[in-house]
Amino acid sequence: MNPNEATGPFSLPHRAEDTSFIKRLDSTLATFLAEQRDIVAKISPAAVDLVDSVETLIKGGKRLRPRFAWWGYAGAGGDLASEAIIRAAAALELFQAAALIHDDVIDRSATRRGRPSVHKSFEATHSRLGWARDGARFGEAAAILAGDLCLSFSEQLFATAATAGSPARKIFDDMRTQVMAGQYLDVLEESAGPSSSDTDVLERARTILRYKSAKYSTENPLLLGGALAGADSALLAGYSAFALPIGEAFQLRDDVLGVFGDPDITGKPAGDDLREGKRTEMIAHALLLAPEADRGFIQNRLGVDDLSTAEIDRMMAVLTDCGALDATERTIADLSSRAFSALEVLDVTEEIREQLRSLGKAVTERTA
């Protein structure tokens, strides 16, 4: 997943086709969540807060994954009046919301999309109403349940868009497995990383990046849209050749912004990913390129609870001085070049190619 996406206002292309699609998507999400709210309210009005937390979160989304699905569908000649692609795109948006809710609990992130993260919002409710026992624990428990409910919502919607055993159904199912495995590997790396060998540190970082974020951010949505429209294997292979490197470059750009982004634009403190202990590909480069003393400093202090501002400044200096930042920027450039070269030979109309090019540039060249 890309649950760590910067929360600042990076812009995606807005053409007439996008606007119409987004309106249909938002209407589908609103109608579906209203129906779920009514179902939950019959259980207990108190439980409606779970649905409300999901609805609040998805209102701040940029609809990146639905956009890739939509243009993948259009590129394969799908019927643009069909509701199947709209419901599949809505399922993708709900799946991402579930991933964000759970990831914020795992990372102990206080904010998301310029608002308190879901677990922090529930914790604030606990405090405001003076409830008993531990407010932070309540917030985390409620958020986990909200994320689980959101996963259920995503599955319900997707089941109305693709039949069991269809190519689109397999892509969706594989995507969910990939994300959960990638998320676990990320947690594992943060815990075991300091004691792991540096010889394959770049490979481990890329595996996490690919399965936790890149594939589900761009490649799988594009493939999903194509499969729903009946795309053949050649077109789907072309979609992957473009979308996977774009997704990897997207996450690498997010990793750079998570450390060096302008707080006034990203809405997050400089070095925030260092506080959270994220063992990104940029950190992997540092563990291979930095002097021994600096490598030991990173291994011992990355993500510790008492990490100081001075230590964050030192880590940022190490990432710059040893060439880790430059190595990451070169990788972003290489991946982007590979993706756009693949796009040029993709068997789609020039209009579709331009739409995908605009999306690719928006997510790899952003500053927030």
Side-chain angles (χ1 to χ4, degrees), residues 24 63 146 148 169 180 186 195 209 220 251 253 319 362:
R24 291 172 64 194
R63 310 301 191 242
D148 288 349
R169 177 81 249 187
M180 300 311 169
D186 191 32
S195 61
L209 177 149
N220 283 320
Q251 182 56 50
R253 173 60 60 208
L319 293 171

Side-chain angles (χ1 to χ4, degrees), residues 7 22 119 137 163 174 178 182 217-218 220 232 240 295 308 321 349 360 364:
T7 55
I22 296 301
H119 68 283
R137 183 71 186 93
T163 58
D174 287 350
Q178 290 164 358
S217 293
T218 55
N220 283 320
D232 60 25
S240 287
R295 294 199 305 271
S308 69
D321 295 343
T349 67
T364 57

Side-chain angles (χ1 to χ4, degrees), residues 20-336:
S20 173
F21 161 63
I22 296 301
K23 285 182 178 179
R24 291 172 64 194
L25 173 67
D26 288 349
S27 176
T28 295
L29 284 167
T31 299
F32 177 79
L33 289 175
E35 292 169 353
Q36 300 308 311
R37 184 179 291 104
D38 289 344
I39 293 170
V40 172
K42 291 176 182 177
I43 300 170
S44 170
V48 171
D49 288 349
L50 292 173
V51 183
D52 289 345
S53 70
V54 171
E55 185 170 43
T56 298
L57 179 61
I58 65 171
K59 284 180 179 178
K62 298 175 181 67
R63 310 301 191 242
L64 172 66
R65 292 151 191 84
R67 289 170 192 262
F68 272 101
W70 172 256
W71 291 114
Y73 183 79
D79 175 10
L80 300 186
S82 170
E83 284 301 306
I85 182 59
I86 303 298
R87 298 180 78 79
L92 282 171
E93 192 70 10
L94 287 168
F95 178 74
Q96 188 207 8
L100 297 179
I101 293 169
H102 287 158
D103 197 69
D104 284 342
V105 173
I106 292 169
D107 288 343
R108 296 177 293 179
S109 298
T111 60
R112 172 65 65 180
R113 292 175 173 169
R115 305 187 186 99
S117 52
V118 170
H119 68 283
K120 283 296 183 182
S121 180
F122 277 113
E123 180 182 341
T125 297
H126 183 286
S127 175
R128 185 178 69 253
L129 297 178
W131 289 342
R133 305 183 70 181
D134 184 75
R137 183 71 186 93
F138 169 78
E140 291 176 356
I144 290 169
L145 294 169
D148 288 349
L149 187 62
C150 200
L151 282 173
S152 176
F153 290 166
S154 174
E155 170 59 27
Q156 284 178 246
L157 262 178
F158 193 78
T160 68
T163 58
S166 67
R169 177 81 249 187
K170 178 168 174 50
I171 292 168
F172 188 74
D173 289 345
D174 287 350
M175 176 192 72
R176 293 186 300 173
T177 300
Q178 290 164 358
V179 170
M180 300 311 169
Q183 179 69 72
Y184 173 73
L185 291 175
D186 191 32
V187 173
L188 177 64
E189 187 69 15
E190 290 179 12
S191 297
S195 61
S196 300
S197 169
D198 289 345
T199 56
D200 62 345
V201 65
L202 272 174
E203 180 182 350
R204 297 198 309 271
R206 180 58 64 90
T207 297
I208 292 167
L209 177 149
R210 178 171 294 154
Y211 290 101
K212 178 184 172 182
S213 173
K215 290 178 77 68
Y216 117 98
S217 293
T218 55
E219 184 192 23
N220 283 320
L222 196 62
L223 291 174
L224 190 59
L228 277 173
D232 60 25
S233 59
L235 180 57
L236 293 178
Y239 278 177
S240 287
F242 162 68
L244 181 57
I246 275 293
E248 292 178 344
F250 172 41
Q251 182 56 50
L252 287 172
R253 173 60 60 208
D254 198 72
D255 292 343
V256 170
L257 292 172
V259 177
F260 294 99
D262 183 344
D264 291 337
I265 299 176
T266 66
K268 299 171 68 176
D272 203 46
D273 280 4
L274 303 177
R275 290 185 184 86
E276 294 182 2
K278 297 188 184 303
R279 290 185 166 263
T280 63
E281 196 162 311
M282 186 163 53
I283 292 294
H285 280 299
L287 293 176
L288 295 173
L289 297 172
E292 183 177 354
D294 288 335
R295 294 199 305 271
F297 168 65
I298 290 173
Q299 290 282 36
N300 292 325
R301 299 300 296 166
L302 181 67
V304 298
D305 290 340
D306 60 345
L307 188 68
S308 69
T309 300
E311 288 176 314
I312 289 173
D313 290 344
R314 179 181 169 186
M315 283 190 194
M316 292 171 67
V318 170
L319 293 171
T320 302
D321 295 343
C322 78
L325 174 58
D326 286 344
T328 305
E329 290 288 359
R330 286 194 301 272
T331 303
I332 292 171
D334 289 345
L335 288 166
S336 298

